[in-house]
Amino acid sequence: MSRIFSGVQPTGDLHLGNYLGAIRNFVGLQDDFECLYCVVDLHAITVWQDPEKLAANTREVAAAFLAAGIDPTRSIMFNQSQVPAHAELAWIFNCVARVGWLNRMTQFKEKAGKHRENASVGLYVYPNLMAADILAYKATHVPVGEDQKQHLELTRDIAIKFNNDFDVEFLPVVEPLIFGEATRVMSLRDGSKKMSKSDPSDYSRINLTDGPDDIAQKIRKARTDADALPGPDALASDGRHVEAAHEKARPEAYNLLSIYAALAEQSMAVTLEQFEGAQFSSFKGELADLSVAKLGPIGEEMQRLMADPGHVDGILRDGAARANAIAEPVLREAHEIVGFLNP
Ligand code: TYM
């Protein structure tokens, strides 16, 4: 049976990339699969988090899940620290994964930057915890944005090595689910950089809690180039994706077009046809209207939910109990395989 797991860090400023690359995709999967959606607070503290803000940000991600359409009666949504199996299985995986594997992780290199010696050890072993998140439920499919691909390859390597080392067929080899027209949303200020919570400029991203005026203003100010919008000639031979060379030449234009396509729930091909030859000024107007129409209600619902923390906390608590009931037996089995004495 297929089981879905995914996580989002409560590090503040959830943005359009998180929504289009991940959270929106979580919603549709509920119809066909058993889904677990986790607010990964253990991951968040791999870099410093103010304790009060961490709690508020945890509720913010939970509110975004609910506002986007995750149904907590069908799916299990919870925060990671309420389920001890994540941290416990991660320790076992710390002893399975190799230092060489972690040294190849580009996200660690990016996040630790020049201050590698001063990064937390948690940041270094971050991907092992991610593997534990998924495998504590023997989840088989993981919906994420493109930036998480390398981490999921590590999850696969850990599962394969664990199974080989202990000569068992215990852990599944997970499949990433990277889909939609906006699997890698770029900064509105610089089309070569990913839209990210950590960008110092708020104009680089559309936050899910931005009001209509902010959304429209950020789109109006988004960087573009001087040419008219491209048409379907830019498509690669698969007829679906933009040819890499075209994208490289006009990253901002294709980023905005892919955001439009994703929000309008239409293909890039149709979007390119629709706006071929248009000027950015008119396209931006349409993109702003569409963004406000699609994101406005989500932001409002998030604000409403965040004003009622008791309600959100109750949903997370209930989710954690249900998550525990699945993860506990898996952890116990892992203990037996490794040779730990269970109580
Ligand atoms: P996080 O919190 O950085 O991001 C949450 C989700 O949003 C996606 N995403 C994007 N997608 C498209 N364009 C962007 N600019 C963009 N920015 C972020 C991410 O790919 C992700 O799907 N390590 C994970 C959290 C995690 C996890 C897990 C995910 C922890 N354990 C287990 C899956 C399974 C992270 O930092 O995501």
Side-chain angles (χ1 to χ4, degrees), residues 5-11 14-23 26 38 40 43 61 80 86 107 111 126 129-131 133-134 142-149 151-152 155 182-187 193-197:
F5 182 97
S6 198
V8 175
Q9 292 199 70
T11 41
L14 275 180
H15 55 71
L16 185 63
N18 300 128
Y19 179 63
L20 294 178
I23 299 172
F26 298 174
C38 185
V40 292
H43 277 102
V61 177
Q80 194 183 22
H86 294 245
Q107 196 151 306
K111 283 202 176 168
Y126 178 115
L129 177 59
M130 209 169 136
D133 296 340
I134 300 162
V142 185
V144 283
E146 228 171 78
D147 61 340
Q148 295 300 316
K149 213 169 158 183
H151 286 157
L152 294 185
T155 300
T183 54
R184 188 174 171 80
V185 178
M186 308 309 279
S187 155
K193 286 204 308 206
K194 193 179 73 172
M195 184 177 285
S196 146
K197 302 170 191 172

Side-chain angles (χ1 to χ4, degrees), residues 224-230 249-250 253 277-281:
T224 50
D225 53 43
D227 294 338
L229 284 158
R250 303 186 66 188
Q279 296 303 315
F280 274 108
S281 50

Side-chain angles (χ1 to χ4, degrees), residues 102-122:
L102 292 174
N103 282 345
R104 285 196 285 276
M105 294 295 114
T106 52
Q107 196 151 306
F108 175 74
K109 290 182 200 161
E110 278 164 26
K111 283 202 176 168
K114 290 191 205 101
H115 310 289
R116 209 184 147 112
E117 295 289 312
N118 206 25
S120 76
V121 177

Side-chain angles (χ1 to χ4, degrees), residues 12-74:
D13 286 339
L14 275 180
H15 55 71
L16 185 63
N18 300 128
Y19 179 63
L20 294 178
I23 299 172
R24 192 178 68 173
N25 292 346
F26 298 174
V27 179
L29 290 165
Q30 300 180 109
D31 298 335
D32 300 311
F33 301 100
E34 180 185 12
C35 300
L36 292 115
Y37 296 123
C38 185
V39 188
V40 292
D41 47 10
L42 298 177
H43 277 102
I45 64 161
T46 55
V47 298
W48 170 252
Q49 303 296 326
D50 176 88
E52 261 172 48
K53 282 198 193 130
L54 179 62
N57 290 338
T58 299
R59 294 187 181 114
E60 187 193 25
V61 177
F65 284 177
L66 294 168
I70 288 170
D71 172 358
T73 61
R74 276 196 292 165

Side-chain angles (χ1 to χ4, degrees), residues 250-292:
R250 303 186 66 188
E252 285 87 10
Y254 290 108
N255 186 42
L256 294 179
L257 282 161
S258 72
I259 291 173
Y260 188 96
L263 286 172
E265 295 175 67
Q266 65 186 29
S267 68
M268 194 62 175
V270 167
T271 310
L272 285 164
E273 244 165 62
Q274 186 178 341
F275 292 106
E276 181 169 22
Q279 296 303 315
F280 274 108
S281 50
S282 66
F283 167 66
K284 278 180 164 179
E286 294 203 36
L287 179 59
D289 289 347
L290 179 66
S291 304
V292 169

